[in-house]
């Protein structure tokens, strides 16, 4: 009971800090607000969910009726100077099989911006509250029905300056960020500076491109800093080939494990080939300014092709302190079909993806249907005080017909610890169909496949491989101008090389929401 009281006190304290931050933001904006349009839409909702396996076990399953009473509100304010949006819920959850699990949960998404000078300099801020999985190795699909979630709070505020004309384009920002979590894992506070600039169409003699970022984060005495700057400066000639010089530097430091204390700057000559008005190819040979010979000289290349307002392609190859580096962004839109494809590599710290193998004992039935103590090992989520390299690939394709929309979402994330070399892989695929049945009703059906592999490459490691296969169907209907309902049927099949994480679950949910 003492532990529960301490946890509730911590949760209440963080909720109070959130309320104070929102109140401060409101007072800051309201004192400078001008005449504008307010929209405020409160709502009440009730969702009843029946699950045949509330404990997510393979044997001795137990059913439960989970009730969610939802108090929600949406607000939006727009004026010449100020834009503000708010969406939040307070959800009271009750479990029929065990009332001691009853709890309340919050969600929030608030964004605001205030124009300080000529629509160029803005004060921006955002706050969010979400309920994330307590442990991805235990249940990557955790939600309020399964109950194994923790609250995560994010606040950010800062200044943003954007300016563009025929001579140049400049985008810059300074943002302070705070992340709090209910279990204190993945917390951090710090700031990020971004700077991007390119020459405008009126440039006649010199072209340039500057991309820079600096991130500082802290948590419990641990610090991380990530600095990156790429600059190209060249001469404009009457020909399609223009010479330039490229400068690149990146430094990852701090007292986290896996840091790279020595920056390896490079520079070199390059050529820009303008194949068409909106088609640019850059190639450069870069000399590494490094006496220790940690890295060799290398070739860098990039493509920027925008043949129309509906199509864009950007790709780049370079070398960073961890080796070869690639970036890719593609988007194409027609009247009914939209495709986006991207690949990015980032250095991150203080996330919720660091696990430690621990031993324990569980009760499980034997061949005689008696329960015995069994020793097991599991992956426990622990604080992440190390740098990691994250490679993300994402593809989204959407086909919008007159009454039916087909959507395919594919994504993959490979996370490599720069300290231990442990690699985790996260694959997510979803195909959904949304059909408008009438002016007041629609149906959504989706199938999803998720595969998580923890510590996939090391021999003798505590490798864990989980797959989640989900089939879901939802029917939405507007009963009146401010009264809506939905019915959802869902089936989940989870398989794992850890036997106790293999199970099936079926759910049926019905909701009624009243807007005011």
């Amino acid at each position: 009971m003492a532990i529960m009281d301490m946890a509730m006190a911590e949760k209440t304290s963080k909720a109070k800090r959130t309320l104070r931050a929102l109140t401060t933001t409101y007072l800051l904006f309201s004192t400078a607000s001008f005449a504008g349009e307010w929209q405020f839409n409160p709502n009440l909702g009730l969702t009843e969910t029946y699950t045949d396996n509330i404990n997510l076990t393979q044997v001795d399953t137990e059913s439960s009726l989970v009730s969610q009473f939802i108090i929600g509100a949406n607000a939006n304010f727009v004026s010449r100077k100020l834009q503000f949006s708010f969406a939040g819920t307070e959800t009271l959850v009750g479990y029929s099989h065990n009332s001691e699990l009853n709890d309340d949960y919050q969600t929030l998404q608030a964004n605001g911006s205030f124009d300080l000078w000529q629509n160029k300099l803005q004060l921006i801020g955002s706050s969010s509250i979400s309920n994330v999985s307590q442990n991805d190795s235990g249940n990557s699909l955790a939600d309020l029905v399964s109950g194994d979630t923790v609250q995560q709070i994010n606040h950010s505020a800062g200044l943003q300056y954007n300016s563009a004309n025929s001579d140049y384009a400049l985008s810059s920002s300074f943002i302070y960020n705070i992340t709090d979590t209910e279990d204190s894992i993945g917390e951090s506070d710090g700031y990020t500076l971004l700077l991007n600039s390119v020459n405008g169409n009126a440039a006649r003699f010199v072209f340039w491109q500057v991309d820079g970022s600096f991130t500082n984060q802290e948590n419990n005495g641990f610090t991380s800093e990530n600095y990156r700057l790429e600059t190209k400066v060249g001469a404009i000639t009457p020909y399609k080939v223009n010479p330039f010089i490229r400068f690149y530097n990146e430094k990852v430091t701090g007292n986290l494990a896996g840091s790279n204390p020595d920056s390896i700057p490079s520079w070199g000559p390059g050529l820009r080939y303008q194949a068409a008005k909106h088609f640019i190819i850059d190639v450069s040979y870069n000399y590494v300014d490094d006496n220790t010979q940690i890295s060799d000289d290398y070739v860098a290349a990039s493509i920027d092709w925008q043949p129309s307002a509906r199509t864009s392609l950007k790709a780049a190859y370079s070398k960073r302190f961890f080796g070869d580096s690639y970036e890719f962004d593609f988007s194409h839109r027609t009247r009914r079909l939209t495709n986006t494809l991207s690949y990015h590599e980032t250095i991150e710290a203080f996330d919720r993806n660091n696990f430690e193998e621990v031993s324990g004992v569980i009760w499980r039935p034997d061949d005689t249907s008696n329960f015995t103590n069994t020793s097991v090992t599991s992956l426990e989520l622990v604080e992440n005080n190390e740098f990691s390299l994250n490679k993300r690939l994402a593809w989204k394709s959407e086909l919008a017909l007159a009454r039916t929309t087909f959507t395919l979402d594919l994504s993959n994330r490979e996370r490599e610890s720069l300290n231990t070399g442990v690699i985790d892989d996260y694959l997510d695929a979803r195909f959904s169909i949304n059909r408008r049945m009438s002016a007041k009703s629609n149906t959504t059906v989706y199938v999803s496949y998720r595969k998580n592999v923890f510590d996939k490459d090391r021999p003798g490691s505590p490798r864990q491989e989980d797959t989640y296969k989900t089939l879901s169907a939802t029917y939405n209907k507007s009963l009146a101008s401010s009264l809506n309902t939905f019915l959802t049927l869902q089936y989940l099949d989870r398989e794992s090389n850890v036997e106790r994480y293999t199970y099936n679950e079926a759910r049926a949910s019905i909701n009624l929401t009243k807007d005011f």
Side-chain angles (χ1 to χ4, degrees), residues 240-269:
K240 289 188 175 182
V241 178
N242 300 294
F244 68 87
I245 297 178
R246 178 181 183 264
F247 301 91
Y248 183 82
N249 195 11
E250 180 177 15
K251 191 173 184 180
V252 178
T253 61
N255 56 4
L256 295 186
S259 63
N260 177 40
D262 298 320
S263 63
I264 306 177
S266 61
W267 71 276

Side-chain angles (χ1 to χ4, degrees), residues 42-47 74 439-442 475-487 510-516:
N43 60 78
L44 295 176
L46 177 64
T47 302
N74 298 303
K440 294 186 176 181
S441 64
N442 67 80
Y475 176 72
N476 297 278
K477 185 173 180 61
S478 175
L479 302 177
S481 60
S482 59
L483 187 63
N484 302 283
T485 186
F486 71 75
L487 173 66
I510 188 169
N511 167 274
L512 189 65
T513 299
K514 170 64 177 177
D515 297 322
F516 298 93

Side-chain angles (χ1 to χ4, degrees), residues 228 230 232 246 282 300-304 314-318 325-329 343 345:
R228 187 181 181 189
E230 181 181 18
K232 296 177 183 177
R246 178 181 183 264
D282 287 351
S302 65
I303 297 175
D304 188 345
K314 293 184 179 181
Y317 165 78
S318 181
S325 177
Y326 304 87
E327 288 189 3
F328 184 85
D329 284 287
Y343 175 81
E345 300 172 345

Side-chain angles (χ1 to χ4, degrees), residues 108-369:
L108 171 70
Q109 187 62 56
N111 297 280
S113 64
F114 182 74
D115 180 32
L116 296 174
W117 182 63
Q118 297 182 353
N119 291 322
K120 296 181 179 180
L121 181 61
Q122 291 183 323
L123 174 64
I124 59 175
S126 67
S127 290
S128 68
I129 301 176
S130 58
N131 298 284
V132 300
S133 173
Q134 189 176 47
N135 185 338
D136 274 346
S137 70
N139 182 11
S140 182
L141 301 180
D143 57 14
L144 300 191
V145 175
S146 60
D148 44 354
T149 65
V150 296
Q151 189 179 85
Q152 181 170 280
I153 303 173
N154 295 280
H155 301 303
S156 66
L159 294 172
Q160 177 178 279
Y161 180 81
N162 296 313
S163 178
N165 53 42
S166 60
D167 294 321
Y168 69 92
L170 173 65
S171 175
S172 61
S173 63
F174 173 82
I175 307 295
Y176 185 79
N177 303 278
I178 300 175
T179 300
D180 283 332
T181 59
E182 190 177 344
D183 57 3
S184 299
I185 298 177
E187 295 186 328
S188 67
D189 63 272
Y191 58 90
T192 300
L193 293 96
L194 298 175
L195 175 65
N196 299 280
S197 179
V198 296
N199 59 281
N201 294 329
R204 293 294 179 266
F205 303 103
V206 177
F207 69 88
W208 71 87
Q209 179 181 333
V210 179
D211 295 292
S213 64
F214 178 83
T215 300
N216 175 281
Q217 292 177 282
E218 296 183 0
N219 181 39
N220 291 332
F222 289 94
T223 62
S224 73
E225 289 188 351
N226 188 349
Y227 156 81
R228 187 181 181 189
L229 178 65
E230 181 181 18
T231 302
K232 296 177 183 177
V233 180
I236 298 176
T237 70
Y239 310 102
K240 289 188 175 182
V241 178
N242 300 294
F244 68 87
I245 297 178
R246 178 181 183 264
F247 301 91
Y248 183 82
N249 195 11
E250 180 177 15
K251 191 173 184 180
V252 178
T253 61
N255 56 4
L256 295 186
S259 63
N260 177 40
D262 298 320
S263 63
I264 306 177
S266 61
W267 71 276
L271 292 175
R272 167 169 292 186
Y273 174 59
Q274 187 152 4
K277 184 177 181 181
H278 300 287
F279 189 11
I280 296 174
I281 301 174
D282 287 351
V283 178
S284 62
Y285 187 85
N286 298 265
Y287 301 97
V288 176
D289 185 10
D290 175 32
N291 295 328
T292 62
Q293 299 299 317
I294 295 178
S295 177
D296 297 327
D297 299 340
Y298 63 93
V299 174
S302 65
I303 297 175
D304 188 345
W305 184 35
Q306 301 183 51
S308 69
R310 295 177 174 226
T311 304
S312 174
L313 170 65
K314 293 184 179 181
Y317 165 78
S318 181
K319 275 200 174 182
R320 298 170 64 180
F321 69 91
F322 54 80
D324 294 338
S325 177
Y326 304 87
E327 288 189 3
F328 184 85
D329 284 287
F330 171 77
S331 64
H332 178 66
R333 177 172 53 90
T334 64
R335 183 169 176 265
R336 296 196 179 277
L337 181 63
T338 301
N339 277 285
T340 58
L341 179 64
S342 65
Y343 175 81
H344 294 279
E345 300 172 345
T346 58
I347 303 298
E348 299 176 13
F350 303 121
D351 59 19
R352 294 181 59 87
N353 298 106
N354 191 34
F355 301 93
E356 183 178 274
E357 186 179 24
V358 297
S359 300
V361 176
I362 63 172
W363 285 86
R364 62 186 306 172
D366 56 19
D367 295 336
T368 61
S369 298

